[in-house]
Amino acid sequence: GGAPGSKPEGPGLLVTGGAAALLAVLVVQYWPVLRPRRRPLPPGSSGLPLLLGHSLQLLGDVGPFMRRMHERYGAAFRCCFFGAHVVVVNMEVYERALAKLDSTAQLAPLWPTGFQRLLGDNALQFLDGGSGPRGGRHRRLKRKVIDALTASELRNFLPRIEAVVRQEFEAMALETEANGRTALMPHAMRIVKQVILELILGPEGIRPEEYLQETSEILLAGMISAPVDLGPLSAFGRAMGVKRGYQRDVEKQMRSALQSIGAPNGAAADCAVAEGGAGTRTLLSRLAKECEHGAGLSVAEMQDMLVSLLFGGSLTTGETMQWMLVELQRHREWQEKLQEEQLRLASAAASQGGLAAAWGSAPPEGSRTPCPESLAACYETLRLHCPIDVVLRRVEEGVDLGEGCGTVPAGWWVAVHMTERGLRQGPAFDPGRWAGVRAAASEVTAFGLGPHFCVGRQLALWELQIFLHVWLTEFDVEVLSDETYNLTGLKRFKDGLPVAVRR
C-alpha cells in the first residue's frame, strides 16, 4: 500500500532501464567513431543503428557489398559488424602497411568462436604467425607439416589420388545409370576427405563408413552456426560429434605410429630413425618424429591438424572442383583444349607405367608442369571463385595505412579483402591470362596470405589436376543445373550441383 494517488514505479523503471540500454548500445556503436582523434579514421560509415551496422550485408553475398564500398570509399574503408568496427583493406594496402606486421606476429588472427572450437586451439589458422617469440608455436607446427608434405612424398601418393578420383566418378556414373542424374558436390567432398584421411592415417587407419557420410557438410554447417553444443539437436553439436570421432581415430593411429618408430610412452622419436619402416608410410608417422624443427606433434596437435585440413580441403579443393567443371562446361573451347592436353598425358602414362611416371619430377605448378593449361584453369577458377573473400586480423597498436587511407585504432579489426585484386581483371573466365605463370600468393588468394599461407597448396593443385585428368580422359559429364544460393557468405550449388556422368 503506497500513499494515496501514488503510481507504481515498475513502468518508470522499465522506461529508464530501456533508455539506459539504448544509450549504451548507441555509445558502443558510435562513440569509437565520433570521439576526437589525433589521426583520422579510414572513410566509411557505421551502417544501421542498434548494432546492426552492415551485418546483414556481411552475412549475405559479401562480394557485391565489398565492391560497392571500395568504389565509394577507395582502397580502405570502415564498416560495422554487430557493433564491432572493421576496417576493410585491399591487397595493396595490406602489402604496404600490414604485411610486415603480419609476418612478425603483430597482427592476431581473428575467427568466429564456432570455427575455433571446432578446429581446435592448435589449428595453424588461429595461432600468431611469423617471426618473433609469439610466432614460435606456429612456426614449429607449420614447418613440421611442410617437411612432411614434400613434393616427393606427395608424388608417391599420386596413384592413390588418381584411384580415389576414379572411384568417385565410377560411383557417379552408376548413380546416373540408375537415376538419370547424380550430384557432384558430395563426391567432390569425399575425394578430398578420403585423400586427406589416407595420407595422414594410412589406408588401414580410416573407416569407410565415416568418410562416406556427409561429414564435411556437417562440419561446415556447425562452423557457421551458433556455437551451442546440444549434441544431435544442434548443428554445432552434430559438428562437434564428427570432430570427436576423428579425434578418436587420430589418437588410436598415433599411438600405433609412435610405437612403430620406437617412441616410448607417447614421446616423439628422433629424426635419425631409419626411413622405410612401418612408421614412415603415413604423414602422421613423420609428424610424430622429433627433428631439427622441434618435438613431434602431440596427439592433441595432430587431432586439430586433421580437422583443419579436412575443413580447408573441403572449402577450397572440394568447392573448386565443382566451379572448375561448371566453368569449363560454360566455355567448351577451353574444355576441348584441356582434354587434348590430358589425353597426351594419358598416352604418356600408358607407355611409361602410370600417371606418376608420366608426370615425372615436376611439381604441380611451375614451368616444368606437363599440363600448363590445366594448371591455368585451376588458377583462373580460384581467381573467380575464391571460397573466402576476406581474412580477419586484430591490430594491437594503431596502424597508419598511408596514402590518405587513415589510421586503424588499436584493438580494431582489419579485414583483408583478398579477392579484390584478382576480380579487377574482370568476370570473364580466361585461363590464358595465366600462361607460363607460377601464380604468387597475392594473386591466388584462396590459399591465404602472409605467415598463414596454406601448407596444403601443392596437394590441392595436384588433386584438382588429377580430377581434370580422370574426368576429361575417361568420362563425359553434363551439368544439369548450375543454380546457386548463398550460405552465410558462401555461394553453393543448389542440390549439390546436379550432373549426369557417363563413361
Side-chain angles (χ1 to χ4, degrees), residues 386-403:
C386 182
I388 296 180
D389 277 292
V390 300
V391 292
L392 286 171
R393 302 285 189 265
R394 185 180 63 251
V395 300
E396 299 187 354
E397 297 182 5
V399 178
D400 183 359
L401 300 178
E403 298 187 12

Side-chain angles (χ1 to χ4, degrees), residues 15-359:
V15 171
T16 302
L22 178 60
L23 179 61
V25 166
L26 293 174
V27 168
V28 167
Q29 182 165 355
Y30 294 107
W31 177 244
V33 174
L34 297 177
R35 75 179 183 86
R37 295 182 182 274
R38 289 168 44 186
R39 294 183 289 181
L41 295 171
S45 73
S46 298
L48 297 173
L50 302 180
L51 303 184
L52 281 176
H54 303 92
S55 305
L56 300 179
Q57 295 97 317
L58 292 169
L59 288 173
D61 194 352
V62 68
F65 166 71
M66 292 285 192
R67 288 193 290 275
R68 289 195 303 271
M69 295 292 277
H70 277 302
E71 290 170 1
R72 182 175 180 182
Y73 295 112
F77 64 86
R78 58 178 169 79
C79 58
C80 183
F81 182 70
F82 289 120
H85 293 277
V86 185
V87 175
V88 179
V89 302
N90 65 13
M91 285 298 296
E92 283 82 2
V93 176
Y94 171 81
E95 291 166 352
R96 178 178 71 234
L98 297 168
K100 186 175 181 180
L101 297 175
D102 208 7
S103 67
T104 53
Q106 296 180 66
L107 294 181
L110 197 62
W111 290 82
T113 303
F115 274 58
Q116 296 192 45
R117 286 185 59 187
L118 277 169
L119 298 189
D121 295 335
N122 301 295
L124 291 171
Q125 295 94 323
F126 307 140
L127 300 176
D128 291 337
S131 60
R134 286 178 50 181
R137 188 171 165 213
H138 181 273
R139 286 197 305 276
R140 168 182 157 264
L141 293 176
K142 186 173 183 178
R143 188 70 258 175
K144 294 282 290 184
V145 176
I146 290 174
D147 285 351
L149 285 173
T150 62
S152 60
E153 292 288 353
L154 291 177
R155 193 177 297 108
N156 292 336
F157 201 67
L158 290 189
R160 188 58 196 147
I161 298 176
E162 182 184 9
V164 170
V165 173
R166 184 175 292 110
Q167 164 189 299
E168 292 303 322
F169 269 100
E170 292 283 2
M172 287 191 286
L174 290 173
E175 290 170 10
T176 301
E177 186 176 339
N179 307 314
R181 62 194 293 156
T182 183
L184 177 58
M185 183 274 291
H187 292 276
M189 296 303 176
R190 282 201 284 267
I191 290 170
V192 172
K193 258 190 303 189
Q194 186 169 351
V195 166
I196 291 173
L197 289 169
E198 288 196 20
L199 185 63
I200 295 176
L201 302 178
E204 298 84 16
I206 63 173
R207 295 173 294 170
E209 69 274 12
E210 284 294 321
Y211 66 71
L212 288 177
Q213 295 175 2
E214 301 309 320
T215 51
S216 296
E217 288 296 290
I218 295 172
L219 282 173
L220 183 57
M223 288 174 181
I224 61 178
S225 66
V228 179
D229 188 351
L230 299 177
L233 300 179
S234 67
F236 186 78
R238 290 189 291 273
M240 288 296 291
V242 169
K243 175 183 177 178
R244 285 188 281 269
Y246 284 136
Q247 285 177 322
R248 288 191 293 269
D249 285 348
V250 170
E251 183 168 10
K252 178 182 176 181
Q253 293 303 315
M254 191 162 185
R255 299 299 181 195
S256 174
L258 290 169
Q259 291 175 5
S260 71
I261 59 177
N265 301 320
D270 189 88
C271 272
V273 174
E275 293 295 317
T280 64
R281 287 202 299 262
T282 66
L283 178 66
L284 184 147
S285 301
R286 295 189 292 277
L287 290 170
K289 295 179 182 179
E290 180 180 356
C291 64
E292 61 184 289
H293 294 117
L297 269 62
S298 68
V299 172
E301 288 170 338
M302 274 298 311
Q303 289 169 333
D304 290 349
M305 190 201 74
L306 174 61
V307 175
S308 62
L309 283 175
L310 287 167
F311 168 71
S314 299
L315 195 61
T316 301
T317 313
E319 295 292 331
T320 303
M321 286 176 181
Q322 299 169 64
W323 278 109
M324 186 159 56
L325 188 144
V326 167
E327 289 289 3
L328 290 172
Q329 289 268 289
R330 292 172 179 171
H331 302 84
R332 295 290 181 150
E333 72 281 7
W334 275 104
Q335 181 174 327
E336 291 171 4
K337 285 183 182 181
L338 267 59
Q339 189 167 37
E340 292 176 6
E341 182 179 71
Q342 291 297 338
L343 287 171
R344 289 195 297 271
L345 181 64
S347 176
S351 63
Q352 296 179 33
L355 183 61
W359 197 284

Side-chain angles (χ1 to χ4, degrees), residues 376-456:
C378 296
Y379 285 158
E380 182 69 349
T381 306
L382 289 164
R383 179 186 77 86
L384 289 173
H385 304 289
C386 182
I388 296 180
D389 277 292
V390 300
V391 292
L392 286 171
R393 302 285 189 265
R394 185 180 63 251
V395 300
E396 299 187 354
E397 297 182 5
V399 178
D400 183 359
L401 300 178
E403 298 187 12
C405 291
T407 298
V408 183
W412 278 36
W413 298 0
V414 172
V416 184
H417 190 189
M418 301 190 299
T419 58
E420 187 265 347
R421 175 186 281 169
L423 292 176
R424 277 185 239 155
Q425 300 177 52
F429 179 79
D430 180 17
R433 74 177 81 247
W434 301 98
V437 174
R438 186 193 188 279
S442 59
E443 295 172 293
V444 181
T445 52
F447 298 112
L449 73 166
H452 292 87
F453 188 76
C454 178
V455 295

